[in-house]
Structure formats: structure tokens, C-alpha cells
């Protein structure tokens, strides 16, 4: 498939709430989609939901924190579909605790999954993107990186690092045909949001639009950023939060 016409897309976190919706949206737009996730069950649900819609999806398990696992996932995608020209890195986890209880192990796992995860998946796909002279990468920040929130400083730190890294890489890879942007969701109705603890609920739920976000809201933003009309946008953050952070 040509780079201008719905290229092959990898979606990490493709077995989760937002990632699954991104897989559906991109598949409907003609992308060949490869969903990567640590959860076999989540991937099964993604494949089933796309099939029910008459859409196909390649799936592969991966731990994005492990570069060997990422290399194996990429090999599986390339075998099945070819080299991706779109990467959406939506894999992630949430964790709440008071700062006094935040130990190094807990902090490191957050950094491993979100930040090193982004490093591993980008390093895996960038060589073929730069060789082709075309690529679209969307990483996931969060409103937590911009407006702060109690009890998940390590999550906020990881998301802030992803945003900063994406901006830095946008400068380096723009001349090589690859755009690198972030979406920063607010409260989106998924399993992850269901884990938000009571103390943070009102913080997340309060926004001018007056509702919790839907995975479709985020998927539409991602589809724009990986689509043909966004070639002059790189290093940016698209906030999808109903105005909770302005
Ligand atoms: N839902 C929200 O309110 C919200 C708000 C801001 C940002 N986000 C971000 O959006 C992204 C998607 O979140 P979601 O709401 O769909 O959550 P989700 O829990 O439904 O999906 C996350 C997916 O990531 C996968 N995952 C976790 N660790 C992994 C690993 N090491 N390797 C591979 N896959 C792994 C999980 O199995 C899960 O399927 C995440 O980056 C999250 O931080 C979500």
C-alpha cells in the first residue's frame, strides 16, 4: 500500500479501550492494522470486535518495556502485513499512591512501560520509516502531565517525559519525512479510567464540555494526526479533554 494511501499501522495498547477504538477507526479508513498488547485477552476482544464490523486486524502480544519482545512483535507485523508507516503508542498503565509510598520499583515500572516503551517501539519502526521517507508517530501523553494531579506523580512524570521526548525527536526526524506528535487525553471512559481512585474522580470528571470522554474522541484525534492532512504538524500536543486543561 502506498505511503499516501492508508499505510500499515501499528497500535500499541491495541487490546485496551482507547487502542481498540483506534484500531477500528484506522481499519475503517483502510489502514492495515497491527494491534500490539501485553494482554492476550484484550487482543482477542479487539480482533473479535473488528471482525464483527467486517474488519481485519493482525494481533501480537508484546511487552513494550522489553526491546526483544518489541523486535519479535515487529517481525510478526512485517511478516503478516509489511513495514508500518504509522505508529500509535497507546500502551500504558496507571497506578495511584501517596508520594511517601512511591518506591523506586514502582517508579521504574512506570518509566519502563511509558517512556522506555516509547523508545523501544519508535526505535523499532523508525528505520523503515526514514528509509521510505514517510512516517507518522503518535505518542500518548495525558492531562496529568500538564495540570498535575494528586497520587500519581510517577504517571505524570512518565507522561511529561513522553511529551518532551516527542518534541525533541520531531526536530530530528522532520527532515526525514516523519512527524511525531502526542495526544493528551483527559478523562476517557476505559478500564484505566475505572481505576481512578475516589480522590481524583472529581478532578478528572470536571470539564466545560460536561461529560467524560469516549475512546472515539481520542481515536478521531489520532486518525487526524496520522492522516494525509496533518503533514505540517509535528512536535505538537493535541489535548482531548473537554477543556479540563486550557
Ligand atoms: N483513559 C484515560 O482516562 C486516559 C487519560 C489520559 C491518558 N490515557 C492514556 O491513554 C492510553 C490508553 O489508555 P486506555 O485508557 O485505553 O487504558 P487501557 O488500560 O484500557 O489500555 C491500556 C493498554 O495498554 C496495555 N499495556 C499495559 N502495559 C503494557 C506493556 N508493558 N506492553 C504492552 N501493552 C501494555 C494494557 O494491556 C492495555 O490493554 C495510555 O497511554 C493511557 O496512559 C488514558
Amino acid at each position: 500500500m502506498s505511503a499516501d494511501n492508508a499505510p500499515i499501522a501499528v497500535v500499541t495498547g491495541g487490546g485496551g479501550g482507547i487502542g481498540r477504538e483506534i484500531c477500528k477507526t484506522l481499519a475503517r479508513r483502510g489502514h492495515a492494522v497491527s494491534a500490539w498488547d501485553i494482554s492476550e485477552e484484550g487482543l482477542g476482544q479487539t480482533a473479535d470486535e473488528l471482525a464483527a464490523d467486517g474488519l481485519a486486524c493482525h494481533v501480537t502480544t508484546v511487552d513494550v518495556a522489553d526491546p526483544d519482545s518489541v523486535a519479535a512483535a515487529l517481525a510478526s507485523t512485517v511478516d503478516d502485513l509489511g513495514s508500518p508507516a504509522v505508529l500509535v503508542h497507546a500502551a500504558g498503565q496507571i497506578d495511584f499512591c501517596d508520594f511517601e509510598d512511591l518506591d523506586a520499583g514502582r517508579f521504574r515500572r512506570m518509566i519502563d512501560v511509558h517512556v522506555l516503551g516509547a523508545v523501544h517501539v519508535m526505535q523499532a519502526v523508525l528505520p523503515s520509516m526514514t528509509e521510505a521517507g514517510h512516517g507518522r508517530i503518535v505518542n500518548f501523553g495525558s492531562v496529568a502531565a500538564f495540570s498535575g494531579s494528586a497520587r500519581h506523580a510517577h504517571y505524570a512524570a512518565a507522561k511529561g517525559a513522553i511529551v518532551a521526548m516527542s518534541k525533541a525527536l520531531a526536530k530530528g526526524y522532520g527532515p526525514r519525512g516523519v512527524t511525531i506528535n502526542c495526544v493528551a487525553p483527559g478523562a476517557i471512559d476505559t478500564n484505566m479510567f475505572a481505576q481512578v481512585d475516589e480522590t481524583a474522580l472529581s478532578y478528572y470528571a470536571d470539564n466545560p464540555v460536561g461529560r467524560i470522554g469516549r475512546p472515539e474522541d481520542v481515536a478521531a484525534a489520532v486518525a487526524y494526526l496520522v492522516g494525509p492532512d496533518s503533514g505540517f504538524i509535528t512536535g505538537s500536543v493535541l489535548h482531548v479533554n473537554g477543556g479540563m486543561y486550557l
Side-chain angles (χ1 to χ4, degrees):
M1 211 170 277
S2 94
D4 291 333
N5 181 22
I8 296 158
V10 164
V11 181
T12 77
I18 293 173
R20 179 172 304 124
E21 199 56 44
I22 294 167
C23 291
K24 285 183 198 169
T25 300
L26 297 187
R28 281 187 201 117
R29 290 176 184 223
H31 291 266
V33 176
S34 180
W36 296 9
D37 204 289
I38 205 165
S39 164
E40 214 166 311
E41 194 187 335
L43 287 173
Q45 194 180 331
T46 297
D48 289 349
E49 288 192 20
L50 267 79
D53 248 4
L55 301 165
C57 182
H58 169 262
V59 300
T60 183
T61 52
V62 71
D63 178 357
V64 295
D66 172 2
D68 294 336
S69 174
V70 169
L74 180 67
S76 170
T77 299
V78 172
D79 272 0
D80 214 68
L81 303 177
S83 293
V86 167
L87 167 68
V88 182
H89 178 45
Q93 61 174 59
I94 192 91
D95 179 37
F96 293 91
C97 69
D98 291 328
F99 191 60
E100 305 89 275
D101 299 326
L102 181 55
D103 59 40
R106 219 161 167 165
F107 194 94
R108 278 199 193 102
R109 183 64 190 162
M110 197 59 80
I111 298 296
D112 282 352
V113 171
H114 290 274
V115 188
L116 281 173
V119 170
H120 298 147
V121 296
M122 285 193 287
Q123 284 183 338
V125 301
L126 273 165
S128 62
M129 288 183 181
T130 53
E131 194 184 333
H134 178 89
R136 292 272 196 273
I137 295 179
V138 177
N139 287 318
F140 267 65
S142 165
V143 70
F146 296 89
S147 70
S149 69
R151 305 197 72 243
H152 51 310
H154 49 330
Y155 177 81
K159 290 305 198 182
I162 287 179
V163 170
M165 179 168 64
S166 300
K167 285 175 182 283
L169 294 175
K171 291 214 168 169
Y173 284 94
R176 299 159 82 179
V178 181
T179 64
I180 304 179
N181 292 290
C182 288
V183 290
I188 310 296
D189 190 12
T190 66
N191 282 342
M192 183 176 288
F193 185 64
Q195 294 167 53
V196 170
D197 70 2
E198 298 265 310
T199 56
L201 256 185
S202 59
Y203 160 81
Y204 272 112
D206 190 19
N207 69 62
V209 171
R211 65 169 172 83
I212 300 290
R214 305 177 189 111
E216 292 89 328
D217 295 316
V218 184
V222 169
Y224 171 65
L225 288 173
V226 305
D229 299 326
S230 61
F232 200 53
I233 301 175
T234 194
S236 75
V237 179
L238 186 44
H239 294 274
V240 187
N241 60 30
M244 74 172 278
Y245 167 79
L246 296 170

